[in-house]
Amino acid sequence: MREVTATLFKDENRLTTQQKAEVVLSRLQQSREPIAVIPTGRAEEFTSMILALDRGKGEILIDELNPEHGNALVLHGDPFFCLGKSEGVYVGFETRVIDRVMWEGYGALRVHYPKNTYYLQRRSFFRVLVNPGDINRVEIERRGARNLTGTCHDISGRGMRLLLTSPTDFVLSEGEYLPQVRFELEGVELASEARVRFVGPVRNTRIRQPMRPVGIEFLNMSPNFEQRVMAYVQRRDRETLRERERRY
C-alpha cells in the first residue's frame, strides 16, 4: 500500500469538489470494503472500515483498527492516511482522530472529514459505456481471414469491448494481431492496429450469425486517435459521475 500512497497523494489526483469527494467516499462506505490506515512515520499498516459519513458535522466514523495496538498510535492526534478502493480504483485521504466512541455496541474512531480526497484517476484504463449512436459499426480487419463487423459495448483509452459476428472461416483467438480496427466516434472516422485480449462464448447458437463478446487492445495509436478516444472517455466518465451524484 505504501507504493500506492506515493503515487496517489499527488495534486493531479485530488478531487476538485467536495461533491465528487462525497460520492467517492459514500461508495467506499456503502461497499464495506476494508481500508488501510497508515500512521505518519510508522512502518506498520492497520485495517479499518468506514462506518458512517457526516459532511455536515465534518466527521467520519471508522472501525477500531486491527491489530488493536494501532488505536493507541493514532489517538494522540497525529495525522494518518486512509487508503481503500472504490469500484476498483484507489481512494485516499489524510485525517486525525477526534475521539474514541461506541457505535452500535462496538468501539469506533471519530475522525475529521478530510479537506482533500485523492482518487487514482487512471482514466486511460477506465471503461465507459457507449451512448447509442456515438460509435457506428466497428470493422475488424484480419490477416488471412475475412473481415468482421460488430458493435461497441464499452471503450477505454486502451481498448474496446464489443459484440462481433462469429467468423465463418477461421476462429478468432486470444493474442491475435489485428492490422486495423475502424469505427466512427461521434462522426469522426478512427482507425488503429489492435490485439485480441479475450474471446467470450457465443451468445445465441440458434441464430444464423451468432454474436460473441470480444475484447481488444489498441496498438500503435496515432495522436489524433488517442486524443479523440480519451476525450470521449473522460466526458462519458463525468456524465456517469453526475448521474450517480443525482441518485445520492
Side-chain angles (χ1 to χ4, degrees):
M1 282 295 191
R2 290 188 179 274
E3 293 80 5
V4 176
T5 303
T7 304
L8 175 63
F9 291 96
K10 294 181 178 179
D11 193 58
E12 60 262 32
N13 295 322
R14 180 174 55 85
L15 293 175
T16 54
T17 69
Q18 279 294 336
Q19 191 175 32
K20 288 182 179 180
E22 189 168 9
V23 170
V24 170
L25 292 175
S26 294
R27 289 205 302 261
L28 189 59
Q29 179 249 325
Q30 291 171 6
S31 69
R32 286 293 192 264
E33 291 287 336
I35 60 171
V37 173
I38 306 173
T40 303
R42 304 287 301 191
E44 294 177 278
E45 296 178 11
F46 302 89
T47 303
S48 183
M49 180 186 300
I50 295 180
L51 303 174
L53 300 166
D54 194 328
R55 181 180 166 193
K57 291 183 178 179
E59 61 189 44
I60 296 178
L61 214 58
I62 67 172
D63 198 12
E64 286 191 326
L65 307 191
N66 183 31
E68 188 177 357
H69 71 272
N71 297 297
L73 297 177
V74 298
L75 278 171
H76 50 63
D78 285 346
F80 58 91
F81 294 105
C82 292
L83 184 65
K85 273 190 175 183
S86 174
E87 297 186 343
V89 181
Y90 282 108
V91 178
F93 56 89
E94 186 180 37
T95 186
R96 297 172 185 260
V97 170
I98 300 172
D99 56 15
R100 200 171 189 171
V101 297
M102 296 298 292
W103 188 81
E104 296 185 351
Y106 294 91
L109 299 176
R110 194 159 58 100
V111 305
H112 292 282
Y113 202 97
K115 291 182 179 178
N116 295 309
T117 301
Y118 296 83
Y119 191 71
L120 193 57
Q121 301 181 56
R122 300 175 66 187
R123 294 188 180 275
S124 61
F125 297 97
F126 283 9
R127 288 180 181 178
V128 295
L129 293 176
V130 174
N131 271 332
D134 285 353
I135 294 182
N136 72 340
R137 183 178 66 173
V138 181
E139 297 181 4
I140 304 279
E141 183 181 314
R142 302 177 70 195
R143 280 180 171 173
R146 293 177 182 172
N147 291 358
L148 300 173
T149 60
T151 56
C152 176
H153 178 266
D154 57 52
I155 191 170
S156 75
R158 290 292 179 263
M160 175 187 290
R161 185 168 54 171
L162 60 160
L163 281 175
L164 281 180
T165 52
S166 294
T168 56
D169 47 3
F170 296 99
V171 175
L172 195 68
S173 58
E174 293 182 7
E176 180 178 340
Y177 169 74
L178 306 172
Q180 193 172 76
V181 175
R182 293 188 302 275
F183 57 92
E184 281 188 10
L185 176 59
E186 298 183 312
V188 178
E189 186 170 330
L190 298 175
S192 174
E193 301 171 48
R195 189 177 308 281
V196 178
R197 281 305 179 193
F198 76 86
V199 179
V202 171
R203 287 288 178 89
N204 188 346
T205 58
R206 297 179 182 178
I207 61 177
R208 187 173 181 180
Q209 285 190 310
M211 309 286 285
R212 66 171 71 235
V214 174
I216 61 171
E217 176 190 10
F218 300 134
L219 302 176
N220 301 321
M221 294 176 284
S222 69
N224 177 61
F225 182 99
E226 190 167 12
Q227 289 167 12
R228 288 277 182 180
V229 171
M230 282 303 304
Y232 179 80
V233 170
Q234 291 180 12
R235 178 169 61 79
R236 284 290 296 134
D237 181 56
R238 289 195 297 271
E239 291 172 353
T240 302
L241 181 61
R242 285 197 294 269
E243 290 167 6
R244 287 173 178 162
E245 288 172 350
R246 284 195 292 267
R247 289 199 295 266
Y248 282 106

